[in-house]
Amino acid sequence: MSDLLHTVENGVSWITLNRPEAMNAVTRDQRERIIALLAEASAAPDVRCVVVTATGRGFCAGADLRGAPSASGEQVAGDVARMIRRGAQRFIGAVMDCEKPVIAAVNGTAAGIGAHLAFACDLVLAAESARFIEVFVRRGLVPDGGGAYLLPRLIGPQRAKELMFFGDAVPAAEALAMGLVNRVVPSEALEKTAREWAERLAQGPTRALALTKQLVNASLDVDRSTAFTAEATAQELNMTTRDAQEGVTSFVERREARYEGR
């Protein structure tokens, strides 16, 4: 059985981690396949939203460290930084750079890079059984995979440091109160809710959503003048799409818009 399941249904690309016996700790091969699927989703006209989820009790218990360089093995200066850039950072960047909305449907424990995989998504749905753990400190490690970039932007620097310094598990309800997730639902309703959200997004103006995602992701890294210029440019580009023209026409004609993703 494949350790990564993939289907496209009703305009939604479903990416499912499928190593429940390992709490879906992500392997290098899985990581590379997910990166490729996200790139394919960006380019595929028939894909208009992506859902990342998992089977079993865990969403993703972090990186599968088997095969990683041993701390006691011989290393050359720069090896670890290069590994992080090519691995964890590239993985998280692929989620943030995907041109389609990405929803995380977190079914259980999300730890380490698994937590960052969820936080990098545009929307996060969590089952009541889900929990999030900045596990790195427990291993004597610095958070990688974009954690120190993502968390302060989601919950502020002091709360981010609390999670990273202590490494305590954050239950789904607390994660919701912090602003780490969008909604918590009963475990049995997670897939149904994710499907509803994803298919609703898949019926939306796809290019407008892509441009909106880019603007929001960049907004905390630039000054107001740069952000306003990017906004105006994005709207200029968006107005060349059929969906934007359909949106305006449907408003004038007082009918519901029918978006094609083009």
Side-chain angles (χ1 to χ4, degrees), residues 128-230:
E128 290 174 344
S129 59
R131 57 184 192 152
F132 302 86
I133 311 172
E134 286 297 316
V135 75
F136 299 92
V137 70
R138 299 186 187 182
R139 312 286 181 257
L141 300 174
V142 171
D144 61 36
Y149 177 87
L150 290 165
L151 263 74
R153 287 164 169 75
L154 290 169
I155 59 175
Q158 288 184 311
R159 296 305 295 271
K161 283 182 275 192
E162 179 184 343
L163 299 189
M164 291 177 170
F165 286 1
F166 292 113
D168 294 333
V170 179
E174 188 176 341
L176 177 64
M178 281 187 184
L180 286 170
V181 306
N182 293 88
R183 187 173 299 179
V184 175
V185 298
S187 297
E188 62 272 18
L190 180 66
E191 182 179 345
K192 177 178 180 291
T193 306
R195 191 174 299 277
E196 289 172 352
W197 280 29
E199 292 185 359
R200 181 177 175 185
L201 288 170
Q203 296 300 311
T206 306
R207 293 310 302 167
L209 293 176
L211 290 164
T212 301
K213 173 174 178 171
Q214 292 172 10
L215 288 172
V216 174
N217 283 354
S219 66
L220 296 177
D221 298 326
V222 299
D223 58 64
R224 186 183 69 179
S225 175
T226 302
F228 276 23
T229 298

Side-chain angles (χ1 to χ4, degrees), residues 15 38 41 48-52 94-104 117-118 120-124 201 213:
I15 300 173
L38 290 166
R48 297 170 67 184
C49 185
V50 177
V51 176
V52 179
V95 178
M96 299 182 72
D97 293 339
C98 181
E99 295 179 28
K100 308 297 167 65
V102 183
I103 298 172
L117 171 61
C121 291
D122 302 302
L123 299 170
V124 183
L201 288 170
K213 173 174 178 171

